[in-house]
Amino acid sequence: MNQTPDLLRQLAHDPAGAEDYDPNAMSVSQARQYIQQFLTPVQQTERLSIKQALGRVLASPIASTLNVPGHNNSAMDGFAFRLAEASQPLRIVGTAFAGKPFNGTIPAGGCIKIMTGAVIPADADTVVMQEHATVTGEHVSIQKLPGKGANIRLLGEDIAIGQTVLATGHTLQPADMGLLASLGVAEIEVYRRLKVAFFTTGDELVSVGQPLQAGQIYDSNRYSLWGMLQALGAEVEDLGNIADNPQALEHTLLQAAARFDVVITSGGVSVGEADFMKQLLATHGQVLFWKINMKPGRPLAYGKLGQAHYFGLPGNPVATMVTFYQFVQTALKTLMGSHERAQPSFKVACVSPIKKAAGRTEFQRGILFNDGADWKVKTTGEQGSGILSSMSQANCFILLDEASGPLPAGSWVEVQPFTGIF
């Protein structure tokens, strides 16, 4: 880490001290701030065709070498003329098309027919849309006179030569690809993909496709983690499920830390007798375990193993996803070099009552909907951390801070839509 707080320095020299530390007062905002101070983006870059760059993060700014538009042009189909002469019918002396300009001069009392995108002649200063003009033979009469300069897109009014159009840290979207193409940019420099490995722990977990024995469950977290990491554009490797065996866990953990930028585990970071990860991480790395004042997802670990960042997520399926989206996703975007890390939220009325105890932050699953007049939200029902269907049904989080208690139906609540953050 770039700097080591007193607590981490203490744990590095006295791993047993981790057992005595009780961070019950750690809030969600404090945990986020703590993680962010240790994150340094990857530095290696590569050049890509813009067709390959969707979702990648710019490693250097893009400055325009062109004016956009490259000439004064018409914003619509109509007639180009000099406004001072518009009180009389104007004689049509030619036509300008997009890509095929009118190369003559406009005589006194004259005008040209012009198409959208066509170059404005130097001796015209206004365009009237064709719907506001009447053509009689070779002449046109203007029925609704526009202001001077109307309906003309000026040279460089969108983008000027030398203007930075996309900054370092920008994540490429489809519109950006079109923008770059419009400027003649064929290749861009981006940060390399972040290399992330993950594995789950627990003897009760069984891979999909295998029969379940008594007391076993399918390992859903591997698939949720895979999907969330793929959506971020990381280079991902699934290391499978590792049995609750200290030697196997140690080997997997150290091998992953040597090869990847980030290692994520699910399960094994609480206080159960078979939760060996805590001891392993205290021995081999600098890791602070939290019991964050949040629901779901109280147990969470963050730290470093060698040069790799480590995130230990809880084993309950919903808690895994909530802690990933509220902590890990933002951290990974930072490591990728992205400057676009804010998660949008806004307030709406909740049509269902909310059960909650004061004293902790909760991320309840909600369904954001439009009733024909306003956006509203309702909960998905029971909010247990093992009810994975609540994440599938939901399209937002309902954010409830530590001071909030139970709320009646009709209360205004803050929501964080899944679209745009996932």
Side-chain angles (χ1 to χ4, degrees):
M1 295 183 177
N2 297 330
Q3 53 180 325
T4 304
D6 292 340
L7 175 61
L8 282 184
R9 187 177 295 111
Q10 173 188 334
L11 296 184
H13 290 87
D14 180 17
E19 298 295 334
D20 298 327
Y21 179 64
D22 185 14
N24 288 320
M26 179 75 73
S27 69
V28 169
S29 60
Q30 287 172 330
R32 286 174 177 153
Q33 293 169 5
Y34 177 86
I35 293 170
Q36 281 293 317
Q37 69 180 314
F38 299 120
L39 304 176
T40 302
V42 296
Q43 298 300 308
Q44 298 88 348
T45 64
E46 58 182 327
R47 292 194 67 80
L48 293 178
S49 159
I50 58 174
K51 280 189 173 181
Q52 299 174 306
L54 183 64
R56 300 298 293 272
V57 179
L58 276 177
S60 58
I62 303 295
S64 177
T65 59
L66 304 173
N67 285 310
V68 180
H71 47 261
N72 294 348
N73 70 86
S74 180
M76 59 189 57
D77 295 342
F79 298 90
F81 60 99
R82 289 179 289 269
L83 184 64
E85 300 174 348
S87 59
Q88 58 186 346
L90 302 172
R91 185 166 67 90
I92 304 170
V93 299
T95 302
F97 297 92
K100 188 177 180 181
F102 172 76
N103 292 318
T105 59
I106 300 177
C111 69
I112 64 166
K113 189 173 184 179
I114 194 164
M115 307 303 169
T116 303
V119 175
I120 301 292
D123 46 6
D125 59 24
T126 305
V127 171
V128 62
M129 66 175 65
Q130 60 184 8
E131 292 84 355
H132 293 165
T134 301
V135 177
T136 305
E138 295 182 351
H139 290 79
V140 61
S141 298
I142 299 173
Q143 307 303 318
K144 187 175 181 180
L145 195 66
K148 187 175 182 178
N151 304 316
I152 294 176
R153 295 183 293 216
L154 299 176
L155 168 74
E157 75 173 22
D158 182 7
I159 299 171
I161 290 177
Q163 178 181 335
T164 297
V165 293
L166 296 174
T168 300
H170 181 78
T171 302
L172 269 291
Q173 304 299 317
D176 302 324
M177 298 165 70
L179 173 62
L180 292 169
S182 75
L183 299 175
V185 177
E187 291 187 341
I188 57 173
E189 185 179 18
V190 299
Y191 291 114
R192 69 162 173 82
R193 291 187 187 276
L194 196 67
K195 299 176 182 178
V196 182
F198 70 90
F199 62 90
T200 57
T201 67
D203 291 340
E204 77 281 11
L205 300 177
V206 176
S207 296
V208 173
Q210 301 297 316
L212 290 176
Q213 304 299 323
Q216 294 181 329
I217 59 173
Y218 284 119
D219 189 0
S220 62
N221 286 349
R222 283 174 54 201
Y223 294 87
S224 298
L225 284 167
W226 178 268
M228 292 185 291
L229 290 166
Q230 286 286 313
L232 281 177
E235 184 178 316
V236 187
E237 186 163 333
D238 177 3
L239 302 180
N241 174 255
I242 309 301
D244 287 327
N245 176 285
Q247 289 73 36
L249 289 170
E250 181 177 45
H251 174 78
T252 305
L253 191 66
L254 296 181
Q255 289 292 310
R259 296 173 49 210
F260 294 89
D261 301 306
V262 179
V263 180
I264 300 173
T265 63
S266 172
V269 293
S270 59
V271 294
E273 292 182 1
D275 293 334
F276 302 116
M277 291 297 294
K278 192 169 186 178
Q279 181 179 350
L280 289 172
L281 293 165
T283 301
H284 294 290
Q286 295 177 326
V287 179
L288 177 63
F289 284 83
W290 297 312
K291 293 178 183 176
I292 300 178
N293 284 331
M294 66 178 284
K295 180 184 178 182
R298 276 185 41 160
L300 174 70
Y302 166 73
K304 293 288 289 286
L305 289 166
Q307 295 303 307
H309 295 267
Y310 171 78
F311 292 92
L313 308 184
N316 282 322
V318 177
T320 296
M321 296 192 72
V322 171
T323 51
F324 182 94
Y325 283 129
Q326 297 303 324
F327 299 98
V328 183
Q329 177 173 262
T330 302
L332 296 187
K333 286 183 177 181
T334 300
L335 293 172
M336 292 173 177
S338 173
H339 292 169
E340 297 148 13
R341 301 189 292 271
Q343 296 175 314
S345 64
F346 52 90
K347 289 193 173 183
V348 298
C350 183
V351 301
S352 52
I354 290 177
K355 299 177 182 179
K356 181 187 180 294
R360 62 188 176 193
T361 298
E362 288 197 18
F363 298 90
Q364 297 199 11
R365 278 69 70 203
I367 300 172
L368 192 62
F369 66 96
N370 190 294
D371 66 358
D374 299 295
W375 284 97
K376 296 180 179 177
V377 72
K378 60 184 178 181
T379 70
T380 57
E382 291 298 321
Q383 297 290 309
S385 60
I387 305 175
L388 187 55
S389 62
S390 68
M391 284 297 296
S392 183
Q393 296 166 15
N395 61 8
C396 69
F397 287 127
I398 300 173
L399 309 182
L400 304 166
D401 63 23
E402 294 180 6
S404 297
L407 298 173
S411 299
W412 283 74
V413 296
E414 189 171 3
V415 297
Q416 189 180 68
F418 288 177
T419 302
I421 68 166
F422 287 13

